[in-house]
């Protein structure tokens, strides 16, 4: 259909207006045909339009039906999904409820188990407490028994010391009486000589010579008699005991020793040779960790280094006396003193004394297995001579030197610090050095922080070796020891014993 054929473009027929002038009129048949054709075209177009609209409506309907079906399917899927979600949620809730019930049952079972464990632990604690109470009671009984035995031993020792002092006083009185008798004889001889001098000068001189000779003979006889008695007593003591054990020493009274005039002083070698000897067991030394004896442990080289450095320090300062102590117990001071002493004994040109000055808890004799250690208090009080108390190291297989002597102690002192600062102690140590002439003197002292023994003995030593225990001694304890010793006390060295990461047989510094 052309544009002109469309309804909006068709011209309307108007009636003929004669005033307007003539018009050309088409024949009626042609106009009718045109109109019919236009109407057919318009009808066809209208039919086509309606068909298209119908097709569009059908298409829209089909699309609506498809959309409805799609929405129904989506709703169905959504419903199934919601149903599945609800089922899953119900299942999850059921599982959670079952899990909670299971957890509750397990919690109840755990609570019952814990209650049972607490009951068992309480019963175990009660049994442990009962055992601890029994152990404490047993230890208290043992401690009471030890204290009782110690008191009995102290009472016995005091009685023995009292008896010894009585015997010493009796010997001194006898010596004084003997000396007075000799003096009386000398005065009588002098009186005879003076009486003879009145007769003649030659007789006077002869009488004087005879009197002097008589006095010297009496003195010599007395000295020989005392020496023979001492020698016989020593031989009897040696015959009464096995050779492997030292014979029991009987203190020689100082009064008797001073009363008998001596014509010639014994030599240093004779004095050292007169000391008692003790035999040592190498296995015992190994058990007590005296590693410088057998030298199986490589750590013995540390003590050799310590020995050399100590000798150099003493020589540079002109010192002789060295105190060995520790801040507290169990640091290894006696272990260090014994090993250092054995190392020093191999210096042939160095005479060494190791003295047990731990008068509250002496233990040095136990390390060497000495059964008859003697009493250090008797030496410090001047009741016995140094060579009668000190003991030398006997023949051994580990090449321990003969230039070392040990001052052991087998009795505790109730007033240790008072004895250590007693003037008699200083005099006894001076006499010991004068008679034995040592190059090095080692004093095994008690722990510095327990009592005032180390401070009371301060005037008797030149320097200090401080032994500290690895993992045991704290920095504060070391500083407290330094504070107590003061700036005037030379600290020769700090020895670290029981170092972390070592075994029992490997000590390092």
């Amino acid at each position: 259909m052309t544009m002109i054929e469309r309804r909006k473009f068709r011209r309307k027929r108007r009636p003929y207006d004669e005033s307007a002038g003539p018009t050309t009129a088409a024949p009626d048949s042609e106009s009718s045909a045109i109109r019919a054709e236009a109407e057919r075209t318009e009808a066809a177009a209208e039919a086509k339009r309606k068909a298209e609209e119908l097709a569009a409506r059908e298409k829209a309907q089909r699309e609506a039906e498809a959309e409805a079906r799609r929405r129904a399917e989506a709703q169905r899927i959504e419903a199934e999904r919601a149903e599945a979600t609800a089922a899953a949620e119900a299942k999850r809730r059921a599982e959670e409820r079952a899990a909670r019930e299971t957890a509750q049952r397990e919690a109840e079972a755990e609570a019952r188990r814990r209650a049972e464990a607490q009951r068992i632990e309480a019963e175990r604690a009660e049994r442990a407490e009962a055992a601890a109470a029994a152990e404490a009671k047993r230890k208290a009984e043992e401690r009471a028994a030890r204290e009782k035995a110690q008191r009995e031993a102290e009472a016995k020792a005091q009685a023995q010391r009292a008896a010894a002092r009585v015997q010493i006083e009796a010997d001194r009185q006898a010596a004084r009486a003997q000396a007075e008798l000799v003096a009386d004889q000398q005065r009588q001889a002098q009186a005879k000589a003076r009486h003879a001098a009145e007769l003649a000068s030659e007789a006077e001189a002869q009488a004087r010579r005879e009197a002097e000779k008589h006095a010297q003979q009496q003195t010599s006889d007395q000295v020989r008699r005392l020496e023979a008695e001492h020698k016989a007593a020593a031989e009897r003591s040696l015959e009464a005991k096995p050779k492997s054990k030292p014979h029991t020493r009987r203190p020689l009274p100082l009064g008797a020793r001073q009363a008998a005039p001596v014509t010639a002083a014994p030599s240093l070698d004779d004095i050292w040779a007169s000391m008692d000897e003790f035999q040592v067991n190498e296995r015992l030394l190994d058990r007590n960790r005296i590693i410088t004896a057998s030298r199986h442990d490589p750590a013995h080289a540390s003590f050799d280094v310590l020995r050399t450095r100590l000798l150099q320090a003493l020589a540079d300062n002109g010192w002789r006396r060295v105190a060995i102590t520790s801040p507290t117990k169990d640091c290894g001071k006696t272990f260090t003193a014994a090993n250092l002493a054995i190392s020093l004994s191999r210096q042939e040109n160095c005479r060494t004394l190791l003295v047990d000055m731990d008068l509250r808890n002496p233990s040095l004799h136990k390390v060497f297995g000495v059964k008859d250690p003697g009493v250090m208090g008797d030496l410090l009080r001047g009741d016995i001579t140094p060579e009668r108390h000190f003991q030398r190291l006997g023949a051994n297989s580990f090449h321990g030197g003969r230039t070392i002597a040990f001052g052991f102690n087998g009795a505790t002192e109730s007033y240790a610090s008072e004895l250590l600062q007693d003037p008699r102690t200083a005099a006894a140590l001076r006499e010991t050095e004068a008679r034995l002439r040592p190059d090095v003197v080692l004093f095994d002292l008690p722990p510095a922080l327990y009592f005032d023994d180390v401070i009371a003995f301060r005037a008797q030593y030149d320097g200090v070796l401080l032994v500290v225990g690895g993992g045991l001694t704290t920095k504060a304890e070391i500083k407290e020891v330094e504070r107590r010793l003061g700036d005037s006390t030379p600290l020769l060295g700090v020895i670290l014993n029981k170092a972390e990461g070592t075994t029992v047989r490997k000590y390092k510094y």
Side-chain angles (χ1 to χ4, degrees):
M1 183 184 341
T2 61
M3 184 177 295
I4 197 170
E5 292 175 346
R6 294 179 63 180
R7 182 181 299 177
K8 63 181 295 186
F9 292 103
R10 286 198 305 267
R11 298 180 62 182
K12 296 180 178 180
R13 288 183 297 180
R14 298 190 180 107
Y16 175 72
D17 189 1
E18 294 181 353
S19 62
T23 56
T24 302
D28 292 335
S29 58
E30 184 179 353
S31 298
S32 300
I34 292 171
R35 285 194 299 271
E37 181 67 25
E39 290 175 357
R40 284 194 301 272
T41 302
E42 186 177 354
E46 184 68 20
K48 184 179 180 181
R49 183 182 60 79
K50 290 180 179 181
E52 289 176 356
E53 289 179 356
L54 180 61
R57 283 195 300 271
E58 290 177 353
K59 182 179 180 181
Q61 186 178 359
R62 286 194 299 273
E63 289 178 357
E65 291 176 354
E67 179 67 18
R69 286 193 299 271
R70 186 183 62 78
R71 288 181 180 179
E73 183 67 20
Q75 289 176 357
R76 184 184 62 79
I77 293 172
E78 186 67 24
E80 290 178 355
R81 186 180 300 162
E83 184 179 358
T85 303
E89 181 67 18
K91 183 179 179 181
R92 182 184 64 79
R93 290 180 180 177
E95 291 176 352
E96 288 181 353
R97 184 167 56 253
R100 285 196 299 271
E101 292 175 355
T102 303
Q104 185 176 2
R105 288 194 296 272
E106 291 178 354
E108 292 175 354
E110 180 68 16
R112 288 194 297 272
R113 187 186 63 78
R114 289 184 179 178
E116 183 67 17
Q118 290 177 355
R119 183 185 63 79
I120 295 173
E121 186 65 23
E123 292 178 354
R124 187 181 295 114
E126 290 178 358
R127 290 195 296 271
E129 185 177 356
E135 181 67 15
K137 182 179 179 182
R138 184 185 63 79
K139 289 183 178 180
E141 292 175 352
E142 290 180 354
R143 184 167 59 253
R146 285 196 301 270
E147 291 176 354
K148 181 179 179 181
Q150 185 176 1
R151 288 193 298 270
E152 293 176 353
E154 290 178 354
K156 184 177 180 181
Q158 290 177 358
Q160 291 177 352
R161 287 196 292 271
R165 284 194 288 271
V166 171
Q167 182 64 32
I168 290 171
E169 186 63 26
D171 293 340
R172 287 177 178 173
Q173 292 179 359
R176 284 196 295 270
Q178 183 68 22
E180 291 175 358
L181 178 60
V182 172
D184 291 339
Q185 292 177 354
Q186 290 178 350
R187 285 194 295 272
Q188 291 176 5
Q190 291 175 0
K192 291 179 180 180
R194 283 195 299 272
H195 181 69
E198 295 176 357
L199 300 176
S201 56
E202 186 177 355
E204 181 182 359
Q206 183 65 26
R208 187 180 297 110
R209 287 193 297 272
E210 290 178 357
E212 292 176 356
K213 183 178 180 180
H214 180 66
Q216 291 177 359
Q217 184 64 34
Q218 287 182 339
T219 303
S220 299
D221 292 343
Q222 184 179 6
V223 171
R224 283 194 295 273
R225 185 171 63 256
L226 290 174
E227 290 179 352
E229 290 178 357
H230 295 158
K231 185 176 181 181
E235 290 177 354
R236 286 194 301 271
S237 178
L238 286 174
E239 292 175 357
K241 288 188 174 183
K243 294 182 179 180
S244 60
K245 296 182 178 180
H247 65 274
T248 304
R249 296 183 303 281
R250 186 178 63 184
L252 178 63
L254 294 178
R257 176 166 48 84
Q258 295 171 354
V262 181
T263 56
S267 65
L268 180 60
D269 293 336
D270 293 338
I271 292 177
W272 278 72
S274 66
M275 294 183 191
D276 292 331
E277 296 182 356
F278 66 94
Q279 302 298 321
V280 292
N281 186 335
E282 189 171 346
R283 292 184 178 180
L284 176 64
L285 296 183
D286 285 341
R287 286 197 301 270
N288 292 329
R289 304 193 298 276
I290 308 304
I291 59 178
T292 53
S294 62
R295 307 183 75 162
H296 296 317
D297 195 315
H300 78 272
S302 300
F303 287 101
D304 293 342
V305 174
L306 177 62
R307 170 198 65 192
T308 302
R309 297 185 64 179
L310 178 63
L311 290 176
Q312 291 174 351
L314 296 181
D316 292 342
N317 295 278
W319 293 337
R320 182 180 293 112
R321 301 178 180 181
V322 179
I324 301 177
T325 184
S326 60
T328 57
K329 67 177 183 177
D330 298 331
C331 293
K333 62 179 184 60
T334 302
F335 157 81
T336 302
N339 278 284
L340 179 59
I342 295 298
S343 181
L344 283 168
S345 72
R346 295 192 174 98
Q347 294 287 119
E348 296 182 357
N349 59 346
C350 178
R351 295 185 184 272
T352 304
L353 300 181
L354 177 55
V355 189
D356 191 352
M357 282 295 181
D358 193 346
L359 304 181
R360 300 179 187 272
N361 185 24
S363 60
L364 187 62
H365 63 285
K366 299 177 183 178
V367 173
F368 289 92
V370 176
K371 303 298 183 183
D372 183 23
V375 180
M376 180 59 65
D378 293 341
L379 174 66
L380 300 181
R381 294 184 180 91
D383 296 337
I384 187 175
T385 59
E387 59 268 26
R388 298 292 295 174
H389 179 76
F390 278 85
Q391 302 183 47
R392 297 176 70 188
L393 191 64
N396 54 79
S397 59
F398 54 84
H399 305 293
R402 305 279 292 165
T403 58
I404 187 170
F406 297 83
F408 297 117
N409 182 27
T412 59
E413 295 288 339
S414 301
Y415 301 96
S417 61
E418 289 80 1
L419 179 58
L420 289 175
Q421 58 186 339
D422 194 303
R424 292 177 297 176
T425 297
L429 294 178
R430 286 195 298 269
E431 182 181 3
T432 299
E433 288 191 352
R435 295 183 68 83
L436 304 183
R437 282 178 272 176
D439 298 295
V440 180
V441 183
L442 302 178
F443 296 110
D444 183 10
L445 289 171
L449 298 182
Y450 282 176
F451 302 97
D452 61 335
D453 296 5
V454 176
I455 303 175
F457 197 62
R458 171 63 192 92
Q460 309 307 325
Y461 53 83
D462 299 316
V464 175
L465 284 177
L466 184 62
V467 181
V468 299
L472 181 65
T473 305
T474 64
K475 186 185 296 185
E477 291 173 342
I478 297 176
K479 290 184 177 180
E480 178 62 17
V481 172
E482 294 177 346
R483 188 190 67 80
R484 291 192 182 189
L485 293 176
D487 297 334
S488 61
T489 304
L491 187 60
L492 300 178
V494 178
I495 302 171
L496 175 61
N497 187 31
K498 300 180 180 180
E500 184 178 356
T502 61
T503 60
V504 175
R505 295 183 57 82
K506 291 185 180 180
Y507 289 82
K508 296 183 181 180
Y509 291 89

